[in-house]
Amino acid sequence: MKLLVRAPKVFVSKQCILTLRRILLLDSGKLLAAIMDRGKSSGRSLAAQNNKIYMDLKDIIREHSLSFLPAKSLSRFNAVCRDWRFQISSPFFAHSQSFYCRGTSGFFLQTPWGSPSLIPIDPSCCGVPDPLLKFLPEPVDIRSSSNGLLCCQGREGDKVYYICNPVTQQWKKLPESNVNHGPDPAIMLVFEPSLLNFVAEYKIICAFPSTDFGDAIEFDIYSSKENTWEVAGEIHFGATGRPMPKSGVHVNGVAYWMTITGGILAFNPTKERSQLIPNYDPHVILGNYSGKLCRANVSGNSITLLTLDNIHSNTMEMGSRAQMWAQKHRVVLDSKIVGDVSGLYSILHVDSDILAVQKGGKAFLYDFKSRATKCLPDGFHNVRCLPYVNSLVYL
């Protein structure tokens, strides 16, 4: 237990990660030679010093950096040495990597008529053995993605749900729900890895139209811990709260959807409480920015990113300057790369690190830290874009 709660030395890890990413450009043979080379010297003291430096670097990288890398990169490091191979293949390491490696590695693209595909942000650091998900027992559509896990639904028959990790090809068929979610369910997979919880626990939340209360919305919740579906006691009344199926995100365990009228429907599955958050732009995209709900919308030739700082600001006393939304970024994309984008592009995804936008059939990525804009591979035309984390998480 002490090992589980030990604080990570992040200041060492960031340094090593930069080094590892540069090493990734080498092939496996050069990688092995670069790390294992202890230097050749005629003096015994210099050889001993080189050996100590090698041992220190090897231990620092193994203990403090490997867990931060995506799964594809780790598969290459299996060839470094036996110690690294044993560490990377251990269940505890997979658990640790799923907690630390949380950045978006790529995007799964789902078309209405075909199999899914994976577009990596960096092809050298993100990949899965079977991006078409043929290891599942039937053709599926991806409904939701969360920190390395995918929630898929069969296309035919009972249209059952599957949870899978496309890296390890582990999958689980979920039991059938007692309620009808509809042909295009507003479903969301909520998986937030915990360093203290060795078993991956997740929930699936579906907001569905009530059959008993007219325009009301009810919430069906699947718990991996109980392996059952249960309809929450909370009922959200009013047609303005009807969620848009493909708009959901989760932040700190709370599910959020854009509604058909432009508002934001929030549901806390732990407390079983829902709330409609005012929002006056129906074209925004929701995301998770540094542990807060964020919204991004296009305004002319720029994109504005705001975070939800005070959900109860409407109850503040008169004269208070507290605001519900706070502006974090105003992004102007590099016109040399994206061309004239004024009013002609849409937002695909936003999180703490990146912003993805689409213009016609082309997609572009903006990095908040470097403020750089780059072009993504083709394939984003008329598809649903789901962010993906290249994780080793075990089901």
Side-chain angles (χ1 to χ4, degrees):
M1 181 60 68
K2 292 183 179 179
L3 181 61
L4 288 176
V5 300
R6 185 179 60 187
K9 298 180 180 179
V10 178
F11 69 96
V12 176
S13 301
K14 288 183 178 179
Q15 179 80 20
C16 294
I17 288 172
L18 294 176
T19 303
L20 285 173
R21 290 193 181 280
R22 288 193 293 266
I23 294 176
L24 282 174
L25 298 176
L26 303 173
D27 60 31
S28 298
K30 292 181 180 179
L31 172 64
L32 180 61
I35 295 180
M36 300 298 290
D37 183 19
R38 305 183 184 187
K40 296 181 179 180
S41 172
S42 58
R44 292 184 178 180
S45 60
L46 182 58
Q49 183 179 3
N50 287 342
N51 182 63
K52 184 178 185 304
I53 292 175
Y54 152 75
M55 293 300 294
D56 291 343
L57 178 61
K58 185 188 72 171
D59 292 340
I60 288 173
I61 293 176
R62 183 182 63 187
E63 297 295 332
H64 301 287
S65 294
L66 291 182
S67 297
F68 289 82
L69 296 177
K72 183 177 181 180
S73 301
L74 293 170
S75 67
R76 300 179 65 183
F77 286 120
N78 272 318
V80 171
C81 62
R82 184 175 60 180
D83 289 345
W84 282 29
R85 184 171 66 254
F86 285 164
Q87 173 149 341
I88 293 172
S89 61
S90 71
F92 178 78
F93 179 83
H95 167 70
S96 175
Q97 189 265 355
S98 68
F99 178 79
Y100 290 119
C101 183
R102 306 285 282 273
T104 301
S105 307
F107 299 97
F108 266 100
L109 306 182
Q110 178 67 66
T111 65
W113 57 83
S115 299
S117 59
L118 175 66
I119 300 293
I121 293 176
D122 183 351
S124 67
C125 297
C126 175
V128 298
D130 181 9
L132 301 180
L133 307 184
K134 291 183 178 179
F135 60 88
L136 293 175
E138 62 173 311
V140 297
D141 292 322
I142 303 176
R143 294 299 185 185
S144 184
S145 172
S146 181
N147 290 311
L149 296 181
L150 303 179
C151 175
C152 306
Q153 186 177 28
R155 293 180 181 168
E156 305 295 337
D158 296 333
K159 294 191 173 183
V160 298
Y161 293 112
Y162 300 90
I163 299 296
C164 71
N165 182 340
V167 170
T168 63
Q169 298 191 5
Q170 292 179 310
W171 60 274
K172 177 182 179 180
K173 179 181 177 180
L174 302 190
E176 186 177 354
S177 172
N178 293 323
V179 297
N180 182 11
H181 293 170
D184 190 12
I187 199 164
M188 188 185 313
L189 172 62
V190 179
F191 171 53
E192 297 181 347
S194 168
L195 190 61
L196 301 180
N197 192 353
F198 190 79
V199 178
E201 294 184 358
Y202 51 88
K203 293 182 178 180
I204 299 176
I205 306 172
C206 182
F208 66 97
S210 175
T211 57
D212 299 323
F213 299 98
D215 290 331
I217 297 296
E218 296 190 65
F219 304 92
D220 198 14
I221 306 173
Y222 170 82
S223 168
S224 63
K225 187 176 182 179
E226 305 294 337
N227 193 34
T228 57
W229 289 91
E230 184 175 353
V231 178
E234 173 75 353
I235 301 176
H236 188 90
F237 290 93
T240 57
R242 180 159 298 186
M244 297 172 62
K246 301 176 178 64
S247 64
V249 300
H250 65 88
V251 182
N252 297 325
V254 179
Y256 299 90
W257 294 269
M258 290 296 300
T259 69
I260 58 176
T261 57
I264 300 172
L265 177 63
F267 175 70
N268 187 323
T270 302
K271 299 180 179 180
E272 295 197 3
R273 291 291 184 269
S274 64
Q275 180 179 355
L276 187 63
I277 303 172
N279 174 60
Y280 304 103
D281 188 345
H283 303 293
V284 303
I285 291 293
L286 301 180
N288 185 336
Y289 186 88
S290 299
K292 292 184 178 181
L293 177 70
C294 72
R295 65 178 192 182
N297 65 290
V298 179
S299 177
N301 65 344
S302 65
I303 299 169
T304 304
L305 177 67
L306 302 98
T307 58
L308 182 63
D309 278 11
N310 189 356
I311 196 171
H312 301 296
S313 64
N314 58 332
T315 64
M316 291 291 182
E317 62 183 24
M318 295 295 293
S320 172
R321 295 186 177 181
Q323 295 182 349
M324 180 175 290
W325 298 93
Q327 182 170 323
K328 292 298 181 182
H329 291 279
R330 182 177 177 272
V331 176
V332 178
L333 301 177
D334 189 343
S335 60
K336 296 180 181 178
I337 297 177
V338 301
D340 181 14
V341 298
S342 180
L344 298 176
Y345 62 99
S346 58
I347 304 172
L348 296 172
H349 170 74
V350 61
D351 60 35
S352 303
D353 301 315
I354 60 172
L355 172 73
V357 302
Q358 180 184 10
K359 177 187 177 184
K362 293 186 175 295
F364 306 92
L365 196 73
Y366 178 85
D367 189 299
F368 285 116
K369 294 181 177 64
S370 65
R371 299 183 181 181
T373 304
K374 75 172 185 178
C375 185
L376 289 173
D378 294 338
F380 285 82
H381 182 66
N382 198 23
V383 297
R384 184 186 179 193
C385 174
L386 298 102
Y388 169 68
V389 177
N390 206 207
S391 171
L392 293 173
V393 57
Y394 273 41
L395 286 175

